Amino acid sequence: MATITTTEIAALLAGAALVSLAVIWLVGLVPNRARPSAERPAAPECHFLFRGATLIDHDAGALWPEDSDAADDDWSRFSSWLGFRFGTLPTDPLSITVGKPLTFDSTLPDDPARLELNASAHSLRATLHEGGPSCPAHLHEGRRRLMVLDVPKAALHAAPQPVWIHGTGGHLIWQNDAARAFHPESIARMTAALGPLPEPTETRTQRISVPDADGAAPDRWFDLTVTRMQAGHAFYACDVTALVSAETAQRDFVQTLGRTFADLPTGLAVFDRAKSLALFNPALIDLTGLPVGFLSARPNVMSFFDMLRDAQVMPEPKNYANWRSQITDMVSAARGGLYQDCWSLVTGQTYRITGRPHPNGAVAFLFEDITPEVSEARHHRTEMDLRQAALDHLTEAIAVLSPDRRVMFCNAGFGALLGIDPDSSIAETTLRDVIAACQARFPQTTAWPALERKIATGAATTQSMTLADGAGRLDLRHAPLGRGNTMLSLCHHAAKGAALMHERTG
């Protein structure tokens, strides 16, 4: 094995030092891109080059707004695309002065972006400056957010209600398919009809009519809701044309009912499902004397009947503590179509109150003045009682038969003579029952079997029969009264000896 001398060791150390210096020098020659840099990249920019209103070049890649809502020209799409951040841009790019760039700062909070418009003799360069550097994580997050927004955006576009958004400057920045189907003048008319737009955190809804663009169809009605958002104002239009038509038809129907019931003598009070007075006619005022102002204020059921009680148009309740429960029961019975009552007032008048159910939970009360009917019925009853009293004082036994040969009424003498109780069996007593009772009471005569046949002839007959075994004499008479009615009269004359014996025992 060779031995290394001290001289050789010194030479090796010197060579190693030279190699080290050479490596250090070579490393210093490596470009900076091969080494990680601590410097941050410049803020990203995006450029758009226009010639007139036509886009001739850009470096935005696939982010150029091909599907923008403003479809007139490239410059309009560009202005609409950026409007929510930079407000209203010039409508005509040729109006920008050459050599005088325009700068627009973002209107959104905490957004340092700006837009520069620099016009030259033949073109216009728009430069979008973002406020910070971009990195893969930022780009990924942006794409993720766009993906998340695609679903609600598609749903909003397909919504049947028109939806659109105006920027802070009042310009249109987005609208869905239903809003795009409208004539632009209709959108502008609805927006202008709202007046001053709401402040932040406020929402306002207003019903607005929109005439047909051609004038061929009737107006359409919308409940337009506008709310303030960060980018501007969002508008939501809900088509309520069918609802307005139904309300108009209902109002016309109520007016027709009012005109129809205006001349009726029956008072009408209709309460809706909320128990408020929805309809009344003049007859109700005449019958109740309630003030027109009170009825026009649409009182509820309780207030209405309380006012009737105060005006003495209904009987005073015996137990005022149960008054409201009685009114509730009355309304419930009326909704079931079961309520009817007669009120005898202190004025001597009599009202008939009828409750009837109406659709959708409403209820109607009918007020009728039946005082003449009640008076006539009472008068008729008095006459009937007087007639019956006169008949009962006759010595003859009298009965009146209907055309079907049933006993309509008789006097007390007839019942006593034949043993018939008029109050219990008169309604079911027929001529044959009468003949059977006569034959049982006076079996001595043979006139009874022929009586039914004689009455059927309709001729008046008077017959006096002497009864056997000293039972006296019986006068039988029947006479037609018209319309098939017949009067049957029996008069029993007892023998003188029997009559004297009756007087002595009496």
Side-chain angles (χ1 to χ4, degrees):
M1 180 175 178
T3 303
I4 300 177
T5 64
T6 305
T7 303
E8 293 173 341
I9 293 174
L12 289 174
L13 291 175
L18 290 175
V19 171
S20 300
L21 290 175
V23 170
I24 294 173
W25 179 77
L26 289 175
V27 170
L29 294 179
V30 175
N32 288 337
R33 65 175 179 271
R35 296 179 303 163
S37 175
E39 298 179 1
R40 300 178 65 183
E45 298 178 351
C46 191
H47 307 275
F48 302 84
L49 188 61
F50 290 88
R51 182 169 295 162
T54 304
L55 181 70
I56 60 176
D57 193 14
H58 68 87
D59 57 2
L63 295 180
W64 167 247
E66 295 290 349
D67 61 343
S68 174
D69 293 318
D72 297 337
D73 50 49
D74 292 341
W75 179 255
S76 298
R77 285 193 291 271
F78 180 75
S79 300
S80 176
W81 183 51
L82 296 175
F84 80 98
R85 293 181 78 186
F86 300 101
T88 304
L89 302 182
T91 57
D92 185 6
L94 298 179
S95 64
I96 301 175
T97 305
V98 176
K100 292 184 178 181
L102 296 179
T103 301
F104 298 86
D105 294 326
S106 176
T107 59
L108 301 180
D110 300 327
D111 185 3
R114 73 180 188 278
L115 176 68
E116 292 183 359
L117 303 180
N118 195 349
S120 63
H122 303 289
S123 62
L124 172 68
R125 178 181 295 276
T127 304
L128 175 61
H129 300 272
E130 289 294 342
S134 179
C135 71
H138 292 165
L139 293 176
H140 173 76
E141 178 63 15
R143 289 191 175 96
R144 188 193 68 82
R145 292 183 180 182
L146 288 176
M147 183 273 297
V148 171
L149 291 176
D150 280 343
V151 174
K153 180 180 178 181
L156 284 175
H157 268 294
Q161 292 82 14
V163 181
W164 66 94
I165 300 175
H166 282 180
T168 54
H171 56 286
L172 180 68
I173 61 176
W174 183 87
Q175 61 181 349
N176 67 350
D177 296 339
R180 190 179 294 110
F182 269 90
H183 195 278
E185 293 182 359
S186 299
I187 296 292
R189 183 187 297 271
M190 284 194 288
T191 305
L194 285 170
L197 297 179
E199 297 298 326
T201 71
E202 291 183 356
T203 299
R204 190 165 76 250
T205 300
Q206 184 174 333
R207 183 162 293 182
I208 298 172
S209 64
V210 179
D212 182 64
D214 301 330
D219 292 356
R220 297 177 64 184
W221 287 86
F222 293 88
D223 279 346
L224 183 60
T225 301
V226 58
T227 182
R228 180 69 182 268
M229 54 190 306
Q230 188 176 18
H233 291 88
F235 299 83
Y236 309 88
C238 180
D239 193 339
V240 292
T241 304
L243 177 61
V244 171
S245 299
E247 291 176 348
T248 302
Q250 183 182 20
R251 185 168 56 253
D252 294 342
F253 178 70
V254 170
Q255 292 176 354
T256 302
L257 285 179
R259 290 190 294 268
T260 301
F261 295 134
D263 298 328
L264 291 180
T266 301
L268 176 66
V270 179
F271 295 88
D272 58 22
R273 63 185 307 171
K275 298 182 181 179
S276 297
L277 183 62
L279 176 66
F280 65 93
N281 65 343
L284 183 70
I285 301 174
D286 297 337
L287 292 173
T288 63
L290 297 181
V292 178
F294 170 76
L295 297 175
S296 300
R298 302 189 62 186
N300 58 31
V301 173
M302 294 297 180
S303 299
F304 177 79
F305 283 102
D306 275 339
M307 184 66 77
L308 288 182
R309 181 185 56 80
D310 294 339
Q312 295 185 337
V313 184
M314 66 180 302
E316 182 70 22
K318 296 180 181 180
N319 187 351
Y320 187 77
N322 296 331
W323 167 245
R324 291 188 173 271
S325 62
Q326 293 174 6
I327 295 298
T328 302
D329 295 341
M330 179 191 304
V331 174
S332 300
R335 284 180 175 170
L338 303 175
Y339 181 76
Q340 187 172 22
D341 194 9
C342 290
W343 293 349
S344 297
L345 308 183
V346 294
T347 59
Q349 294 175 290
T350 303
Y351 286 176
R352 179 166 57 215
I353 314 300
T354 305
R356 289 288 181 264
H358 271 228
N360 299 325
V363 61
F365 286 96
L366 305 177
F367 294 78
E368 300 175 81
D369 187 357
I370 60 172
T371 305
E373 299 177 20
V374 173
S375 299
E376 184 178 354
R378 290 173 180 172
H379 180 68
H380 179 70
R381 181 63 182 175
T382 301
E383 290 183 347
M384 292 292 293
D385 292 343
L386 181 60
R387 184 190 64 180
Q388 188 66 42
L391 289 176
D392 289 342
H393 280 78
L394 294 177
T395 58
E396 297 180 66
I398 296 175
V400 176
L401 306 176
S402 64
D404 61 351
R405 303 297 181 259
R406 293 183 179 273
V407 177
M408 298 174 62
F409 61 89
C410 66
N411 64 353
F414 190 87
L417 182 64
L418 299 181
I420 298 175
D421 185 4
D423 295 331
S424 62
S425 61
I426 190 68
E428 301 298 330
T429 303
T430 64
L431 177 58
R432 292 187 178 181
D433 296 330
V434 171
I435 293 175
C438 290
Q439 192 166 11
R441 176 67 176 83
F442 304 105
Q444 299 91 342
T445 178
T446 60
W448 307 122
L451 178 61
E452 184 176 5
R453 184 174 64 256
K454 291 179 180 180
I455 292 178
T457 62
T461 301
T462 300
Q463 184 178 359
S464 180
M465 299 169 286
T466 301
L467 303 175
D469 300 331
R473 189 178 77 254
L474 180 66
D475 294 336
L476 171 64
R477 182 165 61 94
H478 59 86
L481 300 179
R483 298 184 179 181
N485 298 313
T486 303
M487 183 186 72
L488 179 62
S489 173
L490 298 174
C491 184
H492 180 220
H493 302 279
K496 292 183 178 181
L500 290 175
M501 182 63 67
H502 176 73
E503 291 178 1
R504 291 174 181 175
T505 54

